[in-house]
Amino acid sequence: MSGDLILHHYGTSPFSEKVRVAFGIKGLPWQSVKIPPMMPKPDLTVLTGAYRKTPVMQVGADIYCDTQIILREIEHRHPSPTFYPGSAKGLAEGVAFWADHQLFSASVAVAFGLMGEQMPDAFLEDRAKFSGRSIDRSKMKMQAAMMSGPLRAHLGWIEEALHDGRKFLFGDAPSLADLAVYHCVWFVRDRAKATDLADYTALNVWADRMKGFGHGSASELDSKAAVEIAKTATPAPVPAGVAANAMGLSAGMPVSVTPDDTGRDATVGELVGLTAQSITIAREMPETGRVHVHFPRAGFILVPHKG
């Protein structure tokens, strides 16, 4: 049980769909912990600290926050078929970062405009706190109209790339880049039922191909059982240690880690690992015992904690 892949997610989360399709590409079994789409999420945040974004992946007492590091860990544990076929290594990470931020922002605006009338007030209030800006239901359709042009521009690049007949963005096999672009398309096309993407013929064929991978083999797990798994497990060693860095951070220092865009709640712990691509901090709570919480470097602010 402690070595199983556990995904804390909910069905309509686009970033969760990114990881679910990743499981499908690799044909993996995984355990599904359904979490609320809005705060509070007590059985999640006891594992992560204050991190509230979705999804989170757990392997025993190791907690992975953000799909960047989640997919990197899945690749590490299950390298075949790879998320980095051919020339995708490095470049796929860059395309994915663009998709997760610029493409996703445009996708959210359009999707919310299409689905806004169905969204409960409590959900919109939660997302206003999450994003750090007010959300006015009466303006959502206008904002969607404003962002439809940028969204079509972004997706036009993907349509152009796929028009040469390639099956995926980097050739004949799916990569990390395909996963990152797909979850945005899925959110607008499949969840929000947008109809103005029909003219993107190559994009739609590709999206159907991505959808065809499915989600691997999931089994349900209770959130409290997941917390107990963490408590009875031991975090994996962090062999890289703490690399030299401009801030002079060293192993054992108290630090805080905060997303640089939305959900800016700081997770505080003891620094145990730092590389060019990852941050690992240790936390300990009575409910969980000692856990290691992992974050990517890109997209997160790491500073000493003065509490």
Side-chain angles (χ1 to χ4, degrees), residues 75-139:
E75 176 77 6
H76 172 71
R77 291 172 180 270
H78 302 277
S80 182
T82 181
F83 292 145
Y84 305 98
S87 60
K89 188 69 173 177
L91 289 175
E93 295 275 8
V95 173
F97 198 80
W98 156 76
D100 287 348
H101 294 78
Q102 297 297 318
L103 177 57
F104 182 70
S105 292
S107 301
V108 167
V110 172
F112 271 40
L114 292 169
M115 299 188 293
E117 293 179 359
Q118 308 162 28
M119 294 177 176
D121 289 341
F123 179 80
L124 294 180
E125 289 169 8
D126 176 80
R127 287 306 185 265
K129 294 176 184 176
F130 174 74
S131 64
R133 58 181 183 271
S134 63
I135 297 178
D136 186 337
R137 191 191 296 273
S138 67
K139 296 179 180 178

Side-chain angles (χ1 to χ4, degrees), residues 144-253:
M146 289 171 55
M147 292 306 297
S148 64
L151 176 63
R152 287 184 61 84
H154 286 302
L155 294 181
W157 300 334
I158 304 302
E159 173 75 6
E160 186 175 359
L162 293 168
H163 245 301
D164 64 1
R166 71 184 76 179
K167 292 182 178 179
F168 301 99
L169 292 178
F170 283 91
D172 291 331
S175 72
L176 177 69
D178 293 276
L179 287 165
V181 173
Y182 174 70
H183 86 276
C184 300
V185 174
W186 173 84
F187 195 40
V188 174
R189 190 190 78 148
D190 296 66
R191 280 286 300 124
K193 305 300 182 185
T195 58
D196 62 348
L197 302 182
D199 57 323
Y200 287 128
T201 54
L203 177 76
N204 280 290
V205 169
W206 164 86
D208 288 339
R209 187 176 292 123
M210 291 294 293
K211 188 175 183 178
F213 284 112
H215 294 159
S217 177
S219 57
E220 297 297 320
L221 181 69
D222 181 75
S223 61
K224 296 191 183 304
V227 173
E228 186 62 24
I229 287 171
K231 187 173 184 178
T232 58
T234 301
V238 183
V242 175
N245 57 89
M247 298 189 69
L249 301 173
S250 59
M253 287 183 64

